[in-house]
Structures are given as C-alpha cells and as structure tokens.
Amino acid sequence: MLGRNSSHMWGVVLETPDPLALAEFYSALMDWKIVKEGPDFVALAPLGDHVEYLAFQRSPDYEQPTWPNKSHKQQMMMHLDIEVPDLEKAVRFATEAGATEADHQPQDTVRVMLDPDGHPFCLYVDTSG
C-alpha cells in the first residue's frame, strides 16, 4: 500500500455492546495490554514492539453470531485462531476467563470457544511437526 512501512499499525476490530468488558476478557486470554481506551473503542496489543492489535468497537445493535452457521440467523463473519501448547489447559483457562465451549466441535485438535459476546474463536494445537 502506498506509503506503508513496517511501523504502521494493523489490526482486527470486533463489534460489541461493551468494548471495555470484551477487551478485558481478551487481555486476560491473550496476556496483551490495553493500549487505547475510549468509551466506544478499546485496543489491545502484545507486549513489546509490535504493530498488530485487536480492538473492540461499540455496536449497540450487535447480534451474536450462530455457530455453526444457521440459515436466516446472524452469520459468523470471522473468527480468531489461537495456537496453544496444551489444548485442555487452554480451554480451562478460557472458560475461567469467561468463554464458553461451543456445542459443535468439528476437530479433535481444535476447540471452538465463544467469547462473552458470542464471537467464536478457536484454540488449537499444531500437529504438523
């Protein structure tokens, strides 16, 4: 992109009725810190010199997606994949932080989780090597 360099930020933004609450959940889950906080937008970033972020934007009319997708229901637009060294420990940690395990689990090495606002995210172990 014209004029972009490696110091320019990039990120993903999730809609939520409560940006700070969802940011606090992902801050605990990812061990990232809140780097920008306002009433309608909160951003997290990993510790250190990184340019990526995960942010949360207020959306008063937010509707939780269904998992798996169902016809005529709010569809999942995206999900986060988070590699972990121990799947069962990661599921316990995520659950204690406020996530729920989805009823439908399509793979043995992946756990589909739902954050407190219902966004799906996947915890997985790498079995390729």
Side-chain angles (χ1 to χ4, degrees), residues 24-92:
E24 289 172 340
F25 166 79
Y26 278 101
S27 177
L29 185 73
M30 303 289 292
D31 196 23
W32 288 12
K33 68 178 184 173
I34 293 175
V35 295
K36 183 175 183 178
E37 182 179 342
D40 296 321
F41 185 88
V42 180
L44 306 175
L47 302 176
D49 294 329
H50 294 275
V51 295
E52 63 271 16
Y53 63 88
L54 178 60
F56 311 92
Q57 176 175 292
R58 184 176 310 281
S59 176
D61 297 325
Y62 169 77
E63 291 184 38
Q64 290 186 358
T66 57
W67 170 255
N69 290 338
K70 293 181 182 168
S71 217
H72 306 293
K73 298 286 185 181
Q74 177 62 46
Q75 300 288 308
M76 173 182 65
M77 301 280 298
M78 62 158 288
H79 70 274
L80 303 173
D81 282 342
I82 304 167
E83 183 180 352
V84 297
D86 183 312
L87 190 55
E88 297 311 314
K89 283 183 182 178
V91 168
R92 276 195 307 275

